[in-house]
Amino acid sequence: MASDYERGRVGLLLVDLVNENFSKDGKAYPIYAPEYERLGTIDSLKKLIAGVRRHDDIPVFYSRTAFTDEDYSTWRHVSGIHRQMFDNRMFQAGTWNTEFHEELAPQQGDVILAPHKGLDVLQHTDLEFQLRQRNVDYLAIAGVSGIMAVESTARTAMERGYHVTAFTDAIAAPGGLVTYQAMMRGLNMVSHSVIGVDDFLASLDELAA
């Protein structure tokens, strides 16, 4: 519903829309591809981005993971997800892999955040500073992985007092239907709204009317 948002206070965060995840030659693409197909994730992200850009008062924030050679070789405590990424040299800074996918890429006026190395975009980037500068209180979060970076960021945003919107379709995580259902349960616990792209854009259009 439009009443869930305040005009001029909404922002969209897009998480890891990079070649590593969204191009067929990306190292992570094969683990997401079945869910992209099942959910229509890429088309939903395109629709979401285009729909939000119709509203001049909604800033779009882009976040991406990137690791340096020093990261791969010097970290003392490497978590399971980081071990998976490090062993496969995923998200290598300065390479094609960490460039934004051309069909989902930023445009002039979008905010490109500092790269994150942990899962939580709010904890590991300048996102909160950028949100404060733009008076954003209502944060919608889309992208991948839904059970890692998206959920971690949504949880922190909720804890810090933001109104959080997550998506049923502009999102994906490896693991098929069982993982998707668990992801939706988790997001419903830490978000204020979990909806489809069409419903979100309808709320924005109603708000602007």
Side-chain angles (χ1 to χ4, degrees), residues 12-18 21-22 32 35-36 39 41-42 44-46 48-49 61-63 104 116 121 140-151 153 165-174 180 183-184 187 197:
L12 173 65
L13 171 63
L14 300 168
V15 181
D16 286 332
L17 306 191
V18 296
N21 292 325
F22 285 92
Y32 290 112
E35 286 299 278
Y36 291 163
L39 298 172
T41 302
I42 296 176
S44 292
L45 283 165
K46 290 178 183 177
L48 174 63
I49 294 166
F61 305 89
Y62 275 80
S63 177
L104 304 167
H116 63 100
V121 178
I141 309 173
V144 298
S145 166
I147 58 173
M148 294 289 181
V150 172
E151 186 175 338
T153 306
T165 297
F167 294 94
T168 58
D169 44 9
I171 195 170
Y180 177 81
M183 175 174 67
M184 288 297 108
L187 287 171
V197 166

mmCIF file of all heavy atoms in Angstrom, residues 12-18 21-22 32 35-36 39 41-42 44-46 48-49 61-63 104 116 121 140-151 153 165-174 180 183-184 187 197:
data_model
loop_
_atom_site.group_PDB
_atom_site.id
_atom_site.type_symbol
_atom_site.label_atom_id
_atom_site.label_comp_id
_atom_site.label_asym_id
_atom_site.label_seq_id
_atom_site.Cartn_x
_atom_site.Cartn_y
_atom_site.Cartn_z
ATOM 1 N N LEU A 12 16.286 2.470 -2.941
ATOM 2 C CA LEU A 12 16.426 1.096 -3.419
ATOM 3 C C LEU A 12 17.886 0.685 -3.374
ATOM 4 O O LEU A 12 18.744 1.359 -3.956
ATOM 5 C CB LEU A 12 15.910 0.977 -4.853
ATOM 6 C CG LEU A 12 16.154 -0.368 -5.552
ATOM 7 C CD1 LEU A 12 15.393 -1.492 -4.859
ATOM 8 C CD2 LEU A 12 15.759 -0.283 -7.032
ATOM 9 N N LEU A 13 18.167 -0.426 -2.693
ATOM 10 C CA LEU A 13 19.505 -0.998 -2.647
ATOM 11 C C LEU A 13 19.543 -2.243 -3.512
ATOM 12 O O LEU A 13 18.729 -3.160 -3.332
ATOM 13 C CB LEU A 13 19.872 -1.361 -1.199
ATOM 14 C CG LEU A 13 21.168 -2.161 -1.025
ATOM 15 C CD1 LEU A 13 22.381 -1.353 -1.486
ATOM 16 C CD2 LEU A 13 21.326 -2.614 0.428
ATOM 17 N N LEU A 14 20.508 -2.298 -4.413
ATOM 18 C CA LEU A 14 20.704 -3.439 -5.308
ATOM 19 C C LEU A 14 22.018 -4.114 -4.948
ATOM 20 O O LEU A 14 23.078 -3.493 -4.991
ATOM 21 C CB LEU A 14 20.712 -2.968 -6.759
ATOM 22 C CG LEU A 14 19.413 -2.272 -7.195
ATOM 23 C CD1 LEU A 14 19.603 -1.576 -8.524
ATOM 24 C CD2 LEU A 14 18.265 -3.282 -7.275
ATOM 25 N N VAL A 15 21.936 -5.386 -4.593
ATOM 26 C CA VAL A 15 23.075 -6.098 -4.028
ATOM 27 C C VAL A 15 23.687 -7.070 -5.044
ATOM 28 O O VAL A 15 23.016 -7.993 -5.522
ATOM 29 C CB VAL A 15 22.648 -6.876 -2.765
ATOM 30 C CG1 VAL A 15 23.845 -7.609 -2.165
ATOM 31 C CG2 VAL A 15 22.038 -5.926 -1.731
ATOM 32 N N ASP A 16 24.948 -6.834 -5.373
ATOM 33 C CA ASP A 16 25.779 -7.768 -6.147
ATOM 34 C C ASP A 16 25.205 -8.118 -7.515
ATOM 35 O O ASP A 16 25.185 -9.288 -7.925
ATOM 36 C CB ASP A 16 26.047 -9.028 -5.333
ATOM 37 C CG ASP A 16 27.059 -8.779 -4.220
ATOM 38 O OD1 ASP A 16 27.904 -7.891 -4.382
ATOM 39 O OD2 ASP A 16 26.993 -9.474 -3.184
ATOM 40 N N LEU A 17 24.789 -7.088 -8.245
ATOM 41 C CA LEU A 17 24.305 -7.305 -9.621
ATOM 42 C C LEU A 17 25.488 -7.273 -10.592
ATOM 43 O O LEU A 17 25.522 -6.505 -11.550
ATOM 44 C CB LEU A 17 23.278 -6.239 -9.997
ATOM 45 C CG LEU A 17 22.080 -6.064 -9.069
ATOM 46 C CD1 LEU A 17 21.042 -5.163 -9.719
ATOM 47 C CD2 LEU A 17 21.457 -7.404 -8.682
ATOM 48 N N VAL A 18 26.445 -8.132 -10.346
ATOM 49 C CA VAL A 18 27.715 -8.129 -11.082
ATOM 50 C C VAL A 18 27.809 -9.342 -12.000
ATOM 51 O O VAL A 18 27.041 -10.305 -11.878
ATOM 52 C CB VAL A 18 28.915 -8.096 -10.117
ATOM 53 C CG1 VAL A 18 28.920 -6.804 -9.310
ATOM 54 C CG2 VAL A 18 28.910 -9.312 -9.186
ATOM 55 N N ASN A 21 27.747 -13.005 -10.802
ATOM 56 C CA ASN A 21 26.465 -13.614 -10.465
ATOM 57 C C ASN A 21 25.486 -13.678 -11.627
ATOM 58 O O ASN A 21 24.654 -14.594 -11.670
ATOM 59 C CB ASN A 21 25.800 -12.827 -9.334
ATOM 60 C CG ASN A 21 26.518 -12.950 -8.013
ATOM 61 O OD1 ASN A 21 27.071 -13.994 -7.692
ATOM 62 N ND2 ASN A 21 26.516 -11.875 -7.231
ATOM 63 N N PHE A 22 25.543 -12.716 -12.553
ATOM 64 C CA PHE A 22 24.464 -12.567 -13.525
ATOM 65 C C PHE A 22 24.864 -12.795 -14.982
ATOM 66 O O PHE A 22 23.990 -12.823 -15.841
ATOM 67 C CB PHE A 22 23.819 -11.179 -13.370
ATOM 68 C CG PHE A 22 22.939 -11.091 -12.165
ATOM 69 C CD1 PHE A 22 23.442 -10.647 -10.957
ATOM 70 C CD2 PHE A 22 21.613 -11.484 -12.221
ATOM 71 C CE1 PHE A 22 22.634 -10.582 -9.824
ATOM 72 C CE2 PHE A 22 20.791 -11.420 -11.106
ATOM 73 C CZ PHE A 22 21.310 -10.970 -9.901
ATOM 74 N N TYR A 32 23.046 -20.012 -9.335
ATOM 75 C CA TYR A 32 21.821 -19.211 -9.285
ATOM 76 C C TYR A 32 20.890 -19.452 -10.470
ATOM 77 O O TYR A 32 19.681 -19.207 -10.375
ATOM 78 C CB TYR A 32 22.159 -17.718 -9.264
ATOM 79 C CG TYR A 32 22.777 -17.224 -7.991
ATOM 80 C CD1 TYR A 32 24.096 -16.793 -7.965
ATOM 81 C CD2 TYR A 32 22.042 -17.166 -6.813
ATOM 82 C CE1 TYR A 32 24.675 -16.321 -6.793
ATOM 83 C CE2 TYR A 32 22.609 -16.699 -5.640
ATOM 84 C CZ TYR A 32 23.929 -16.276 -5.637
ATOM 85 O OH TYR A 32 24.492 -15.816 -4.480
ATOM 86 N N GLU A 35 17.302 -20.827 -10.207
ATOM 87 C CA GLU A 35 16.373 -19.947 -9.510
ATOM 88 C C GLU A 35 16.044 -18.706 -10.332
ATOM 89 O O GLU A 35 14.909 -18.221 -10.302
ATOM 90 C CB GLU A 35 16.941 -19.555 -8.147
ATOM 91 C CG GLU A 35 16.887 -20.682 -7.123
ATOM 92 C CD GLU A 35 15.463 -21.126 -6.842
ATOM 93 O OE1 GLU A 35 14.779 -20.476 -6.025
ATOM 94 O OE2 GLU A 35 15.025 -22.125 -7.459
ATOM 95 N N TYR A 36 17.020 -18.174 -11.056
ATOM 96 C CA TYR A 36 16.716 -17.061 -11.965
ATOM 97 C C TYR A 36 15.601 -17.466 -12.923
ATOM 98 O O TYR A 36 14.680 -16.690 -13.197
ATOM 99 C CB TYR A 36 17.948 -16.681 -12.779
ATOM 100 C CG TYR A 36 19.085 -16.038 -12.018
ATOM 101 C CD1 TYR A 36 20.357 -15.990 -12.586
ATOM 102 C CD2 TYR A 36 18.912 -15.470 -10.766
ATOM 103 C CE1 TYR A 36 21.422 -15.400 -11.920
ATOM 104 C CE2 TYR A 36 19.961 -14.878 -10.092
ATOM 105 C CZ TYR A 36 21.224 -14.844 -10.674
ATOM 106 O OH TYR A 36 22.277 -14.262 -10.017
ATOM 107 N N LEU A 39 12.132 -18.121 -10.897
ATOM 108 C CA LEU A 39 11.522 -16.923 -10.312
ATOM 109 C C LEU A 39 11.396 -15.763 -11.286
ATOM 110 O O LEU A 39 10.692 -14.794 -10.995
ATOM 111 C CB LEU A 39 12.349 -16.464 -9.105
ATOM 112 C CG LEU A 39 12.450 -17.436 -7.927
ATOM 113 C CD1 LEU A 39 13.458 -16.920 -6.906
ATOM 114 C CD2 LEU A 39 11.094 -17.644 -7.283
ATOM 115 N N THR A 41 13.980 -13.866 -11.986
ATOM 116 C CA THR A 41 14.715 -12.862 -11.208
ATOM 117 C C THR A 41 15.253 -11.737 -12.070
ATOM 118 O O THR A 41 15.113 -10.551 -11.720
ATOM 119 C CB THR A 41 15.885 -13.536 -10.457
ATOM 120 O OG1 THR A 41 15.374 -14.567 -9.615
ATOM 121 C CG2 THR A 41 16.646 -12.517 -9.620
ATOM 122 N N ILE A 42 15.896 -12.065 -13.173
ATOM 123 C CA ILE A 42 16.539 -11.016 -13.976
ATOM 124 C C ILE A 42 15.507 -10.076 -14.573
ATOM 125 O O ILE A 42 15.666 -8.846 -14.533
ATOM 126 C CB ILE A 42 17.449 -11.649 -15.044
ATOM 127 C CG1 ILE A 42 18.597 -12.408 -14.358
ATOM 128 C CG2 ILE A 42 17.994 -10.582 -15.990
ATOM 129 C CD1 ILE A 42 19.523 -13.154 -15.307
ATOM 130 N N SER A 44 12.585 -9.484 -13.347
ATOM 131 C CA SER A 44 12.014 -8.724 -12.224
ATOM 132 C C SER A 44 12.939 -7.588 -11.804
ATOM 133 O O SER A 44 12.481 -6.479 -11.500
ATOM 134 C CB SER A 44 11.769 -9.657 -11.029
ATOM 135 O OG SER A 44 10.747 -10.582 -11.314
ATOM 136 N N LEU A 45 14.242 -7.843 -11.796
ATOM 137 C CA LEU A 45 15.190 -6.780 -11.460
ATOM 138 C C LEU A 45 15.155 -5.673 -12.504
ATOM 139 O O LEU A 45 15.180 -4.486 -12.163
ATOM 140 C CB LEU A 45 16.595 -7.359 -11.348
ATOM 141 C CG LEU A 45 16.895 -8.130 -10.056
ATOM 142 C CD1 LEU A 45 18.164 -8.959 -10.209
ATOM 143 C CD2 LEU A 45 17.025 -7.177 -8.870
ATOM 144 N N LYS A 46 15.094 -6.036 -13.768
ATOM 145 C CA LYS A 46 15.010 -5.020 -14.823
ATOM 146 C C LYS A 46 13.765 -4.162 -14.642
ATOM 147 O O LYS A 46 13.804 -2.926 -14.746
ATOM 148 C CB LYS A 46 14.988 -5.693 -16.199
ATOM 149 C CG LYS A 46 16.282 -6.340 -16.622
ATOM 150 C CD LYS A 46 16.104 -7.005 -17.978
ATOM 151 C CE LYS A 46 17.338 -7.734 -18.439
ATOM 152 N NZ LYS A 46 17.135 -8.433 -19.718
ATOM 153 N N LEU A 48 12.032 -3.703 -11.887
ATOM 154 C CA LEU A 48 12.172 -2.930 -10.652
ATOM 155 C C LEU A 48 13.019 -1.682 -10.875
ATOM 156 O O LEU A 48 12.631 -0.574 -10.486
ATOM 157 C CB LEU A 48 12.797 -3.803 -9.576
ATOM 158 C CG LEU A 48 13.163 -3.126 -8.249
ATOM 159 C CD1 LEU A 48 11.928 -2.596 -7.544
ATOM 160 C CD2 LEU A 48 13.916 -4.102 -7.348
ATOM 161 N N ILE A 49 14.181 -1.856 -11.481
ATOM 162 C CA ILE A 49 15.093 -0.732 -11.691
ATOM 163 C C ILE A 49 14.454 0.318 -12.588
ATOM 164 O O ILE A 49 14.492 1.521 -12.294
ATOM 165 C CB ILE A 49 16.422 -1.236 -12.275
ATOM 166 C CG1 ILE A 49 17.150 -2.127 -11.254
ATOM 167 C CG2 ILE A 49 17.313 -0.072 -12.684
ATOM 168 C CD1 ILE A 49 18.289 -2.931 -11.837
ATOM 169 N N PHE A 61 20.920 2.690 -4.963
ATOM 170 C CA PHE A 61 22.248 2.399 -4.413
ATOM 171 C C PHE A 61 22.713 1.041 -4.925
ATOM 172 O O PHE A 61 21.986 0.051 -4.829
ATOM 173 C CB PHE A 61 22.201 2.383 -2.887
ATOM 174 C CG PHE A 61 21.651 3.631 -2.267
ATOM 175 C CD1 PHE A 61 20.284 3.761 -2.038
ATOM 176 C CD2 PHE A 61 22.489 4.677 -1.927
ATOM 177 C CE1 PHE A 61 19.761 4.910 -1.470
ATOM 178 C CE2 PHE A 61 21.980 5.838 -1.366
ATOM 179 C CZ PHE A 61 20.612 5.961 -1.135
ATOM 180 N N TYR A 62 23.932 0.998 -5.445
ATOM 181 C CA TYR A 62 24.511 -0.251 -5.950
ATOM 182 C C TYR A 62 25.639 -0.697 -5.033
ATOM 183 O O TYR A 62 26.555 0.061 -4.736
ATOM 184 C CB TYR A 62 25.075 -0.041 -7.349
ATOM 185 C CG TYR A 62 24.076 -0.172 -8.469
ATOM 186 C CD1 TYR A 62 23.215 0.874 -8.791
ATOM 187 C CD2 TYR A 62 23.993 -1.344 -9.216
ATOM 188 C CE1 TYR A 62 22.298 0.760 -9.826
ATOM 189 C CE2 TYR A 62 23.082 -1.464 -10.256
ATOM 190 C CZ TYR A 62 22.241 -0.421 -10.558
ATOM 191 O OH TYR A 62 21.337 -0.539 -11.579
ATOM 192 N N SER A 63 25.570 -1.960 -4.622
ATOM 193 C CA SER A 63 26.613 -2.544 -3.790
ATOM 194 C C SER A 63 27.205 -3.762 -4.488
ATOM 195 O O SER A 63 26.484 -4.491 -5.183
ATOM 196 C CB SER A 63 26.032 -2.949 -2.440
ATOM 197 O OG SER A 63 26.998 -3.588 -1.641
ATOM 198 N N LEU A 104 21.841 -4.643 -15.977
ATOM 199 C CA LEU A 104 21.373 -4.229 -14.651
ATOM 200 C C LEU A 104 22.249 -3.133 -14.066
ATOM 201 O O LEU A 104 22.212 -2.876 -12.865
ATOM 202 C CB LEU A 104 21.376 -5.437 -13.703
ATOM 203 C CG LEU A 104 20.579 -6.660 -14.144
ATOM 204 C CD1 LEU A 104 20.925 -7.868 -13.270
ATOM 205 C CD2 LEU A 104 19.081 -6.385 -14.105
ATOM 206 N N HIS A 116 31.895 -4.247 -0.547
ATOM 207 C CA HIS A 116 31.797 -4.924 0.747
ATOM 208 C C HIS A 116 32.514 -6.261 0.683
ATOM 209 O O HIS A 116 32.516 -6.941 -0.329
ATOM 210 C CB HIS A 116 30.338 -5.082 1.186
ATOM 211 C CG HIS A 116 29.476 -5.938 0.308
ATOM 212 N ND1 HIS A 116 29.181 -7.241 0.602
ATOM 213 C CD2 HIS A 116 28.826 -5.660 -0.850
ATOM 214 C CE1 HIS A 116 28.388 -7.735 -0.321
ATOM 215 N NE2 HIS A 116 28.161 -6.803 -1.220
ATOM 216 N N VAL A 121 25.805 -5.269 3.995
ATOM 217 C CA VAL A 121 26.164 -4.044 3.280
ATOM 218 C C VAL A 121 26.154 -2.841 4.220
ATOM 219 O O VAL A 121 26.994 -1.943 4.096
ATOM 220 C CB VAL A 121 25.219 -3.827 2.084
ATOM 221 C CG1 VAL A 121 25.561 -2.531 1.352
ATOM 222 C CG2 VAL A 121 25.301 -5.010 1.110
ATOM 223 N N ALA A 140 14.251 -0.440 0.318
ATOM 224 C CA ALA A 140 13.913 -1.672 -0.394
ATOM 225 C C ALA A 140 15.219 -2.329 -0.848
ATOM 226 O O ALA A 140 16.127 -1.646 -1.337
ATOM 227 C CB ALA A 140 13.031 -1.359 -1.596
ATOM 228 N N ILE A 141 15.318 -3.656 -0.682
ATOM 229 C CA ILE A 141 16.564 -4.371 -0.942
ATOM 230 C C ILE A 141 16.291 -5.525 -1.894
ATOM 231 O O ILE A 141 15.435 -6.383 -1.633
ATOM 232 C CB ILE A 141 17.174 -4.930 0.364
ATOM 233 C CG1 ILE A 141 17.282 -3.835 1.424
ATOM 234 C CG2 ILE A 141 18.544 -5.546 0.089
ATOM 235 C CD1 ILE A 141 17.722 -4.349 2.794
ATOM 236 N N ALA A 142 17.043 -5.569 -2.994
ATOM 237 C CA ALA A 142 16.895 -6.634 -3.987
ATOM 238 C C ALA A 142 18.268 -7.139 -4.394
ATOM 239 O O ALA A 142 19.283 -6.465 -4.190
ATOM 240 C CB ALA A 142 16.130 -6.117 -5.210
ATOM 241 N N GLY A 143 18.320 -8.343 -4.986
ATOM 242 C CA GLY A 143 19.577 -8.882 -5.483
ATOM 243 C C GLY A 143 19.900 -10.231 -4.880
ATOM 244 O O GLY A 143 19.010 -10.992 -4.487
ATOM 245 N N VAL A 144 21.175 -10.542 -4.799
ATOM 246 C CA VAL A 144 21.621 -11.856 -4.311
ATOM 247 C C VAL A 144 22.789 -11.689 -3.336
ATOM 248 O O VAL A 144 23.444 -10.660 -3.321
ATOM 249 C CB VAL A 144 22.051 -12.762 -5.493
ATOM 250 C CG1 VAL A 144 20.887 -13.011 -6.429
ATOM 251 C CG2 VAL A 144 23.209 -12.163 -6.272
ATOM 252 N N SER A 145 23.045 -12.678 -2.555
ATOM 253 C CA SER A 145 22.202 -13.839 -2.319
ATOM 254 C C SER A 145 21.156 -13.510 -1.264
ATOM 255 O O SER A 145 21.452 -12.866 -0.265
ATOM 256 C CB SER A 145 23.058 -15.010 -1.841
ATOM 257 O OG SER A 145 22.287 -16.063 -1.306
ATOM 258 N N GLY A 146 19.958 -13.989 -1.499
ATOM 259 C CA GLY A 146 18.875 -13.673 -0.589
ATOM 260 C C GLY A 146 19.070 -14.193 0.815
ATOM 261 O O GLY A 146 18.549 -13.613 1.766
ATOM 262 N N ILE A 147 19.809 -15.307 0.973
ATOM 263 C CA ILE A 147 20.023 -15.870 2.300
ATOM 264 C C ILE A 147 21.332 -15.413 2.924
ATOM 265 O O ILE A 147 21.652 -15.805 4.047
ATOM 266 C CB ILE A 147 19.985 -17.410 2.274
ATOM 267 C CG1 ILE A 147 21.052 -17.967 1.316
ATOM 268 C CG2 ILE A 147 18.594 -17.901 1.914
ATOM 269 C CD1 ILE A 147 21.199 -19.473 1.366
ATOM 270 N N MET A 148 22.085 -14.598 2.207
ATOM 271 C CA MET A 148 23.354 -14.107 2.725
ATOM 272 C C MET A 148 23.313 -12.578 2.818
ATOM 273 O O MET A 148 22.862 -12.016 3.795
ATOM 274 C CB MET A 148 24.511 -14.597 1.849
ATOM 275 C CG MET A 148 24.714 -16.096 1.896
ATOM 276 S SD MET A 148 25.388 -16.631 3.485
ATOM 277 C CE MET A 148 25.515 -18.381 3.203
ATOM 278 N N ALA A 149 23.779 -11.886 1.783
ATOM 279 C CA ALA A 149 23.913 -10.435 1.852
ATOM 280 C C ALA A 149 22.574 -9.723 2.006
ATOM 281 O O ALA A 149 22.454 -8.773 2.785
ATOM 282 C CB ALA A 149 24.648 -9.918 0.616
ATOM 283 N N VAL A 150 21.553 -10.168 1.258
ATOM 284 C CA VAL A 150 20.265 -9.466 1.329
ATOM 285 C C VAL A 150 19.668 -9.600 2.724
ATOM 286 O O VAL A 150 19.266 -8.612 3.339
ATOM 287 C CB VAL A 150 19.296 -9.999 0.258
ATOM 288 C CG1 VAL A 150 17.893 -9.411 0.470
ATOM 289 C CG2 VAL A 150 19.802 -9.656 -1.138
ATOM 290 N N GLU A 151 19.594 -10.829 3.242
ATOM 291 C CA GLU A 151 18.993 -11.017 4.563
ATOM 292 C C GLU A 151 19.825 -10.361 5.659
ATOM 293 O O GLU A 151 19.273 -9.754 6.595
ATOM 294 C CB GLU A 151 18.801 -12.499 4.872
ATOM 295 C CG GLU A 151 18.056 -12.716 6.176
ATOM 296 C CD GLU A 151 17.748 -14.170 6.464
ATOM 297 O OE1 GLU A 151 17.726 -14.984 5.526
ATOM 298 O OE2 GLU A 151 17.523 -14.479 7.651
ATOM 299 N N THR A 153 21.717 -7.704 5.448
ATOM 300 C CA THR A 153 21.522 -6.257 5.370
ATOM 301 C C THR A 153 20.125 -5.863 5.840
ATOM 302 O O THR A 153 19.957 -4.862 6.551
ATOM 303 C CB THR A 153 21.764 -5.775 3.936
ATOM 304 O OG1 THR A 153 23.052 -6.211 3.491
ATOM 305 C CG2 THR A 153 21.691 -4.257 3.854
ATOM 306 N N THR A 165 11.815 -3.179 2.989
ATOM 307 C CA THR A 165 11.038 -3.938 2.022
ATOM 308 C C THR A 165 11.952 -4.944 1.340
ATOM 309 O O THR A 165 13.030 -4.580 0.852
ATOM 310 C CB THR A 165 10.412 -3.023 0.957
ATOM 311 O OG1 THR A 165 9.491 -2.128 1.581
ATOM 312 C CG2 THR A 165 9.682 -3.838 -0.104
ATOM 313 N N ALA A 166 11.557 -6.210 1.313
ATOM 314 C CA ALA A 166 12.244 -7.245 0.547
ATOM 315 C C ALA A 166 11.302 -7.744 -0.545
ATOM 316 O O ALA A 166 10.105 -7.441 -0.533
ATOM 317 C CB ALA A 166 12.678 -8.381 1.461
ATOM 318 N N PHE A 167 11.847 -8.524 -1.463
ATOM 319 C CA PHE A 167 11.082 -8.924 -2.648
ATOM 320 C C PHE A 167 10.946 -10.441 -2.748
ATOM 321 O O PHE A 167 11.834 -11.191 -2.350
ATOM 322 C CB PHE A 167 11.744 -8.374 -3.910
ATOM 323 C CG PHE A 167 11.696 -6.883 -3.992
ATOM 324 C CD1 PHE A 167 12.757 -6.117 -3.525
ATOM 325 C CD2 PHE A 167 10.578 -6.241 -4.485
ATOM 326 C CE1 PHE A 167 12.706 -4.731 -3.575
ATOM 327 C CE2 PHE A 167 10.510 -4.854 -4.527
ATOM 328 C CZ PHE A 167 11.579 -4.102 -4.076
ATOM 329 N N THR A 168 9.827 -10.853 -3.323
ATOM 330 C CA THR A 168 9.589 -12.274 -3.567
ATOM 331 C C THR A 168 10.176 -12.745 -4.889
ATOM 332 O O THR A 168 10.328 -13.953 -5.097
ATOM 333 C CB THR A 168 8.080 -12.563 -3.593
ATOM 334 O OG1 THR A 168 7.461 -11.765 -4.617
ATOM 335 C CG2 THR A 168 7.440 -12.231 -2.243
ATOM 336 N N ASP A 169 10.492 -11.794 -5.777
ATOM 337 C CA ASP A 169 10.873 -12.164 -7.145
ATOM 338 C C ASP A 169 12.196 -11.547 -7.604
ATOM 339 O O ASP A 169 12.927 -12.167 -8.374
ATOM 340 C CB ASP A 169 9.766 -11.809 -8.134
ATOM 341 C CG ASP A 169 9.157 -10.422 -7.905
ATOM 342 O OD1 ASP A 169 9.703 -9.646 -7.076
ATOM 343 O OD2 ASP A 169 8.127 -10.116 -8.545
ATOM 344 N N ALA A 170 12.550 -10.352 -7.153
ATOM 345 C CA ALA A 170 13.804 -9.697 -7.557
ATOM 346 C C ALA A 170 14.930 -10.129 -6.624
ATOM 347 O O ALA A 170 15.648 -9.315 -6.045
ATOM 348 C CB ALA A 170 13.636 -8.185 -7.552
ATOM 349 N N ILE A 171 15.078 -11.435 -6.493
ATOM 350 C CA ILE A 171 15.954 -12.018 -5.487
ATOM 351 C C ILE A 171 16.240 -13.454 -5.914
ATOM 352 O O ILE A 171 15.537 -14.013 -6.760
ATOM 353 C CB ILE A 171 15.255 -11.988 -4.102
ATOM 354 C CG1 ILE A 171 16.241 -12.243 -2.956
ATOM 355 C CG2 ILE A 171 14.078 -12.955 -4.052
ATOM 356 C CD1 ILE A 171 15.631 -11.981 -1.584
ATOM 357 N N ALA A 172 17.261 -14.054 -5.364
ATOM 358 C CA ALA A 172 17.527 -15.485 -5.598
ATOM 359 C C ALA A 172 18.523 -15.975 -4.563
ATOM 360 O O ALA A 172 19.281 -15.195 -3.984
ATOM 361 C CB ALA A 172 18.060 -15.733 -7.008
ATOM 362 N N ALA A 173 18.501 -17.284 -4.358
ATOM 363 C CA ALA A 173 19.485 -17.962 -3.517
ATOM 364 C C ALA A 173 19.633 -19.380 -4.038
ATOM 365 O O ALA A 173 18.672 -19.952 -4.558
ATOM 366 C CB ALA A 173 19.049 -17.979 -2.061
ATOM 367 N N PRO A 174 20.804 -19.975 -3.921
ATOM 368 C CA PRO A 174 20.960 -21.356 -4.353
ATOM 369 C C PRO A 174 20.126 -22.293 -3.485
ATOM 370 O O PRO A 174 19.903 -22.032 -2.304
ATOM 371 C CB PRO A 174 22.458 -21.632 -4.138
ATOM 372 C CG PRO A 174 23.096 -20.287 -3.991
ATOM 373 C CD PRO A 174 22.054 -19.406 -3.398
ATOM 374 N N TYR A 180 14.215 -21.387 -0.971
ATOM 375 C CA TYR A 180 13.397 -20.193 -1.219
ATOM 376 C C TYR A 180 12.349 -20.019 -0.123
ATOM 377 O O TYR A 180 12.150 -18.913 0.395
ATOM 378 C CB TYR A 180 12.719 -20.303 -2.584
ATOM 379 C CG TYR A 180 11.808 -19.143 -2.889
ATOM 380 C CD1 TYR A 180 12.316 -17.935 -3.370
ATOM 381 C CD2 TYR A 180 10.427 -19.235 -2.674
ATOM 382 C CE1 TYR A 180 11.478 -16.862 -3.631
ATOM 383 C CE2 TYR A 180 9.588 -18.167 -2.936
ATOM 384 C CZ TYR A 180 10.121 -16.977 -3.416
ATOM 385 O OH TYR A 180 9.296 -15.911 -3.671
ATOM 386 N N MET A 183 14.002 -18.829 2.947
ATOM 387 C CA MET A 183 14.413 -17.439 2.762
ATOM 388 C C MET A 183 13.223 -16.499 2.966
ATOM 389 O O MET A 183 13.342 -15.458 3.628
ATOM 390 C CB MET A 183 15.000 -17.264 1.364
ATOM 391 C CG MET A 183 15.369 -15.844 0.987
ATOM 392 S SD MET A 183 16.219 -15.771 -0.617
ATOM 393 C CE MET A 183 14.908 -16.270 -1.757
ATOM 394 N N MET A 184 12.060 -16.854 2.430
ATOM 395 C CA MET A 184 10.886 -16.013 2.591
ATOM 396 C C MET A 184 10.458 -15.930 4.058
ATOM 397 O O MET A 184 10.064 -14.869 4.548
ATOM 398 C CB MET A 184 9.737 -16.537 1.728
ATOM 399 C CG MET A 184 9.910 -16.313 0.243
ATOM 400 S SD MET A 184 9.966 -14.550 -0.222
ATOM 401 C CE MET A 184 11.712 -14.363 -0.639
ATOM 402 N N LEU A 187 13.011 -13.559 5.717
ATOM 403 C CA LEU A 187 12.828 -12.160 5.324
ATOM 404 C C LEU A 187 11.558 -11.569 5.921
ATOM 405 O O LEU A 187 11.517 -10.392 6.280
ATOM 406 C CB LEU A 187 12.818 -12.038 3.799
ATOM 407 C CG LEU A 187 14.176 -12.209 3.125
ATOM 408 C CD1 LEU A 187 14.024 -12.282 1.605
ATOM 409 C CD2 LEU A 187 15.146 -11.089 3.505
ATOM 410 N N VAL A 197 7.612 -7.254 -7.196
ATOM 411 C CA VAL A 197 8.000 -5.999 -7.834
ATOM 412 C C VAL A 197 6.781 -5.215 -8.298
ATOM 413 O O VAL A 197 6.701 -3.990 -8.104
ATOM 414 C CB VAL A 197 8.962 -6.274 -9.005
ATOM 415 C CG1 VAL A 197 9.112 -5.042 -9.894
ATOM 416 C CG2 VAL A 197 10.323 -6.717 -8.480
#
